[in-house]
Amino acid sequence: MATSVDYVEFVCEQIREFGEIRYRKMFGEYMVYLQDRPILLVCDNTVFVKELPELEILMEQAPRGYPYGGAKKHYILDIEAPDLLRQVIPILEKVIPLPKPKEKKADAAAGLYRNFLQGRSAPFYRDWFYL
């Protein structure tokens, strides 16, 4: 069962007091960002939080689960518990880093060309050159 947009918007509304919130659809489910930090994963209308040492004591009674096949175990966050949210969200905001900016395509192509000139070419590049 996929997550509904209404549920994701409800989750965002619950944490809106903590700052700028946005969400993004990823692999069929949703990632919720606070101040551009990926803090919550919403899968099957369930809110998941990464298991972090900083949350261990606070979330020890929380159920755990896997947001999707192949994922690590996460805490399941009760999004309707405002007292818990007021404790968990600020910790996540401090602990979770901003994602690294992606390399622009032009920079990636320049990097491949630079590697090619230095003799460290990728196999497809070498094959292409000798065609």
Side-chain angles (χ1 to χ4, degrees):
M1 175 175 91
T3 301
S4 68
V5 175
D6 291 338
Y7 186 74
V8 174
E9 289 176 354
F10 169 74
V11 169
C12 291
E13 192 59 40
Q14 299 303 307
I15 62 173
R16 192 156 314 279
E17 69 183 80
F18 299 102
E20 182 183 333
I21 302 294
R22 67 182 174 92
Y23 62 89
R24 183 175 176 192
K25 191 168 187 167
M26 302 176 86
F27 49 83
E29 298 296 345
Y30 293 89
M31 179 66 73
V32 177
Y33 295 83
L34 172 64
Q35 312 290 25
D36 290 328
R37 288 172 166 76
I39 60 163
L40 302 175
L41 188 56
V42 184
C43 301
D44 295 329
N45 288 345
T46 304
V47 181
F48 293 91
V49 176
K50 189 174 183 178
E51 286 189 357
L52 298 167
E54 294 82 358
L55 295 175
E56 192 171 347
I57 294 172
L58 190 59
M59 299 290 289
E60 66 186 352
Q61 299 298 320
R64 292 177 173 92
Y66 298 95
Y68 54 91
K72 294 181 180 179
K73 206 174 238 188
H74 285 60
Y75 294 117
I76 297 175
L77 182 63
D78 182 2
I79 198 69
E80 295 183 36
D83 293 337
L84 182 61
L85 291 177
R86 284 190 196 99
Q87 294 174 323
V88 170
I89 300 300
I91 293 171
L92 291 172
E93 189 177 8
K94 289 178 188 173
V95 173
I96 295 179
L98 288 169
K100 295 179 183 176
K102 291 186 177 182
E103 190 175 275
K104 294 179 184 174
K105 290 189 180 213
D107 292 342
L112 283 175
Y113 185 67
R114 190 172 37 255
N115 287 341
F116 172 73
L117 292 176
Q118 295 172 355
R120 296 179 286 166
S121 61
F124 79 91
Y125 219 16
R126 198 170 38 240
D127 295 341
W128 172 81
F129 184 73
Y130 290 109
L131 288 178

